[in-house]
């Protein structure tokens, strides 16, 4: 299927995005789509000190030349993430309160505010945001626009994340990375000439973020298997039918080949459309992303710098591929279901375990809330395990058809320029090992580690990863 047909198919199932323009030198189409979807409204071009000279200034000048009333807001802080403080800053930009926004941007003391306080009724008096940048700027503009009951236009500058077109914004609130429900942009204008010229590490991060959909897809299959979050056909097929092709040439991605970058960006965008169709991030992430979220929550830095989302996800993705490798070595037809049921702990003991695991983190109640949401009684666990025993050969074959081996994924990351060893992001293998119990409980979302806990084979898939000869031998 051609790119044009894939995009048309994706737009047909998207709930928020109505226009997706992609090509060489097409940034000027941003003003055209703005006039189409926001006639008579005032635009604010939101960029940072890096993306303003790369593209933001040209977009601003194009808007002015097109007769659109436009302002600009340039984030001057050299290093910033999608923290709640900056959401509130962009909320002020929507309302035209630029001086207050700049004061908040520069503030050193800040406490996260109640999200409900930022929600406003729609008004044509608000500015319409035009996000010019990568994932962080887009997420800030996405949530701030939602707070004001309106959409926005996205002009990406790198193929670094899948969040441009996704439903939801990944924001750190009260020290924990959370996905806030909010619509994707009404229009995306992707100038491949600009995106292909982005720093190579940003492109490599995007490649890793797209590759994460491989093990994440396997974990969605497991969730579907137990009846937790069922696979939605349109959300699954719009990306998973083509993802192998999008990932097929990591060398060309590393070389900055425009067609390879266009394919990568299309894959990331289709991932976002899948999230729109599902109204959640289930099609795009699971444990692979939770390793990254924990590092964010811990304030992890390497050589004094925050690591990119995609680079951290790369290590999470490799780790989950290794876990699947170990899963496939097991003969679960021999599982002793009665012994598993006898060993299954009570909700109270699981809650106590979660509180102990998270007690020294920035979000001490996170695990408690997650296990309370996804805990199942012994009868449901029995049903799931009996089904697993009865169908394991067939289900295993389906999972193997979905998930790449650790060795294959590691080679692809090495060739694409993404991290392929834990030390590449300043994390030890021992740290990854210690994250496993926390990762299992970081979200309500059913994952591989959940079914392993229920089936008493958790240690059998985790311990070998770090043993002699394992993927992360330590």
């Amino acid at each position: 299927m051609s790119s044009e047909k894939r995009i048309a198919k994706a737009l047909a199932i998207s709930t928020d995005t109505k226009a997706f323009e992609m090509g060489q030198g097409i940034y000027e189409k941003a003003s055209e789509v703005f006039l189409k979807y926001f006639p008579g409204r005032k635009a604010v071009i939101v960029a940072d000190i890096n993306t303003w000279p790369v593209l933001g200034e040209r977009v601003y000048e194009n808007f002015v030349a097109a007769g659109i009333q436009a302002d600009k807001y340039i984030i001057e802080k050299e290093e910033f993430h999608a923290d709640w403080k900056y959401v509130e800053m962009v909320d002020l930009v929507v309302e035209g309160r630029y001086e207050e926004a700049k004061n908040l941007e520069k503030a050193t003391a800040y406490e996260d505010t109640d999200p409900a306080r930022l929600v406003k009724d729609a008004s044509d008096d608000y500015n319409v945001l035009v996000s010019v940048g990568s994932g962080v700027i887009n997420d800030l503009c996405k949530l701030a626009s939602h707070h004001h009951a309106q959409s926005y236009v996205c002009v990406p500058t790198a193929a670094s994340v899948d969040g441009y077109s996704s439903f939801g914004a990944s924001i750190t609130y009260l020290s924990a990375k959370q996905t806030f429900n909010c619509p994707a942009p009404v229009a995306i204008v992707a100038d491949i000439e600009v995106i292909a010229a982005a720093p190579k590490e940003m492109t490599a991060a995007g490649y890793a973020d797209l590759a994460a959909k491989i093990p994440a897809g396997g974990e969605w299959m497991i969730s579907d298997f137990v009846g937790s979050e069922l696979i939605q056909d349109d959300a699954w097929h719009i990306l998973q039918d083509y993802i192998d092709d999008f990932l097929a040439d990591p060398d060309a991605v590393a070389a900055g080949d425009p067609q390879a970058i266009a394919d990568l960006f299309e894959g990331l965008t289709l991932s976002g459309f899948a999230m729109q169709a599902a109204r959640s991030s289930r099609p795009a992430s699971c444990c692979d992303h939770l390793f990254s979220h924990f590092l964010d929550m811990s304030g992890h830095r390497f050589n004094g710098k925050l690591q990119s989302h995609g680079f951290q996800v790369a290590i999470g993705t490799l780790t989950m591929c290794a876990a699947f490798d170990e899963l496939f070595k097991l003969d679960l037809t021999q599982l002793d279901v009665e012994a598993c049921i006898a060993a299954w702990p009570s909700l109270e003991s699981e809650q106590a375990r979660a509180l102990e695991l998270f007690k020294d983190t920035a979000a001490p109640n996170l695990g408690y809330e997650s296990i309370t949401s996804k805990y199942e009684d012994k009868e449901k666990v029995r049903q799931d395990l009996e089904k697993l025993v009865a169908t394991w050969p067939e289900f295993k074959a389906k999972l193997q058809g979905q998930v790449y081996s650790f060795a294959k994924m590691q080679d692809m990351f090495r060739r694409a320029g993404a991290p392929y060893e834990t030390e590449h992001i300043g994390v030890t293998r021992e740290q990854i090992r210690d994250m496993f119990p926390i990762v299992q409980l970081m979200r309500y979302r059913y994952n591989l580690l959940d079914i392993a806990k229920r089936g008493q084979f958790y240690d059998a898939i985790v311990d070998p990863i770090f043993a002699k000869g394992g993927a992360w031998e330590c």
Side-chain angles (χ1 to χ4, degrees):
M1 184 180 292
S2 69
S3 174
E4 290 77 12
K5 288 183 178 179
R6 286 194 299 264
I7 291 171
K9 185 178 178 181
L11 286 171
I13 68 165
S14 71
T15 55
D16 310 320
T17 305
K18 307 305 178 187
F20 174 33
E21 300 283 353
M22 183 176 70
Q24 297 268 3
I26 65 163
Y27 73 88
E28 292 181 349
K29 286 184 176 290
S31 60
E32 296 178 21
V33 298
F34 187 92
L35 288 169
K36 178 177 180 179
Y37 293 105
F38 303 103
R41 298 288 297 278
K42 181 179 178 180
V44 176
I45 314 302
V46 180
D48 62 23
I49 55 176
N50 296 309
T51 63
W52 175 254
V54 166
L55 185 59
E57 186 172 14
R58 282 183 284 166
V59 171
Y60 172 76
E61 291 174 348
N62 174 251
F63 271 54
V64 172
I68 300 169
Q69 187 181 3
D71 281 340
K72 57 183 180 290
Y73 186 88
I74 304 171
I75 302 169
E76 298 173 297
K77 192 172 179 64
E78 289 190 11
E79 186 180 59
F80 64 98
H81 272 207
D83 299 328
W84 194 256
K85 166 185 172 179
Y86 299 108
V87 174
E88 186 169 358
M89 175 194 77
V90 180
D91 273 289
L92 294 169
V93 172
V94 175
E95 297 169 15
R97 298 157 64 184
Y98 305 130
E99 184 175 350
E100 293 174 68
K102 190 58 66 176
N103 289 338
L104 181 58
E105 178 187 338
K106 295 177 179 179
T108 55
Y110 176 80
E111 291 186 7
D112 290 352
T113 55
D114 180 3
R117 189 178 69 82
L118 301 181
V119 177
K120 307 290 177 64
D121 292 331
S123 172
D124 287 347
D125 293 333
Y126 295 141
N127 298 323
V128 176
L129 302 177
V130 179
S131 165
V132 182
S134 56
V136 171
I137 291 178
N138 178 66
D139 273 349
L140 297 175
C141 289
K142 186 186 301 183
L143 188 51
S145 296
H146 178 57
H147 285 161
H148 294 83
Q150 62 184 29
S151 191
Y152 69 108
V153 174
C154 172
V155 185
T157 55
S160 53
V161 294
D162 63 0
Y164 298 118
S165 56
S166 70
F167 174 80
S170 187
I171 305 292
T172 299
Y173 178 70
L174 297 178
S175 301
K177 182 63 72 72
Q178 304 178 39
T179 299
F180 286 82
N181 289 340
C182 51
V186 69
I188 301 169
V189 179
D191 191 321
I192 296 302
E193 183 177 321
V194 172
I195 291 171
K200 289 188 176 183
E201 60 269 20
M202 297 187 76
T203 304
Y207 185 87
D209 197 24
L210 182 59
K213 287 43 172 165
I214 296 293
E219 293 197 89
W220 195 7
M221 292 168 68
I222 291 171
S223 176
D224 180 83
F225 181 84
V226 301
S228 177
E229 288 178 282
L230 302 181
I231 288 176
Q232 296 175 234
D233 286 345
D234 52 358
W236 176 271
H237 291 293
I238 199 61
L239 174 64
Q240 293 291 346
D241 285 359
Y242 315 110
I243 190 169
D244 292 340
D245 294 334
F246 292 139
L247 295 171
D249 198 348
D251 300 300
V253 169
D257 175 76
Q259 185 56 56
I261 301 303
D263 290 343
L264 171 61
F265 190 84
E266 182 185 340
L268 290 167
T269 305
L270 294 185
S271 174
F273 286 147
M275 286 186 267
Q276 287 188 42
R279 305 312 276 174
S280 87
S281 59
R282 177 87 252 190
S285 69
C286 200
C287 288
D288 49 275
H289 274 58
L290 297 182
F291 286 96
S292 177
H293 291 344
F294 179 73
L295 290 172
D296 289 340
M297 189 168 72
S298 305
H300 174 67
R301 289 176 178 267
F302 180 42
N303 292 331
K305 294 183 178 180
L306 297 168
Q307 297 300 287
S308 72
H309 167 78
F311 272 23
Q312 292 179 167
V313 165
I315 299 305
T317 297
L318 287 169
T319 301
M320 292 313 298
C321 287
F324 272 103
D325 282 350
E326 299 304 327
L327 174 69
F328 298 147
K329 296 175 184 178
L330 304 180
D331 181 5
L332 297 183
T333 64
Q334 301 302 307
L335 202 66
D336 187 337
V337 174
E338 292 307 317
C340 294
I341 298 304
W344 182 236
S346 67
L347 173 59
E348 291 74 20
S349 64
E350 283 291 87
Q351 290 171 328
R353 179 171 74 95
L355 289 172
E356 179 65 23
L357 282 170
F358 283 79
K359 68 179 182 180
D360 295 325
T361 71
N365 292 319
L366 182 59
Y368 178 93
E369 294 166 355
S370 295
I371 193 59
T372 301
S373 174
K374 66 180 175 178
Y375 181 83
E376 293 166 335
D377 62 27
K378 289 189 175 184
E379 185 54 36
K380 178 62 168 68
V381 173
R382 183 194 304 277
Q383 293 172 8
D384 293 342
L385 294 182
E386 288 177 347
K387 180 181 177 183
L388 186 63
V389 169
T391 63
W392 175 239
E394 296 82 11
F395 187 47
K396 173 185 172 181
K398 290 179 180 179
L399 289 172
Q400 287 178 309
Q402 168 65 27
V403 183
Y404 296 176
S405 69
F406 174 88
K408 177 178 179 177
M409 190 70 83
Q410 188 179 46
D411 179 63
M412 291 168 65
F413 283 0
R414 178 185 59 78
R415 292 160 58 194
Y420 57 90
E421 296 286 354
T422 63
E423 57 263 32
H424 293 165
I425 63 167
V427 175
T428 67
R429 296 179 175 191
E430 290 82 1
Q431 285 176 297
I432 295 294
R433 180 187 61 201
D434 293 344
M435 288 180 203
F436 262 95
I438 292 175
V439 162
Q440 186 230 337
L441 299 178
M442 278 193 75
R443 289 289 188 275
Y444 68 88
R445 182 162 290 158
Y446 198 99
N447 58 55
L448 169 59
L449 306 180
D450 288 322
I451 199 168
K453 280 286 186 181
R454 287 153 174 75
Q456 301 298 305
F457 55 87
Y458 175 93
D459 291 342
I461 65 172
V462 174
D463 290 351
I465 297 173
F466 305 95
K468 185 174 178 60
W472 296 143
E473 177 182 341
C474 59

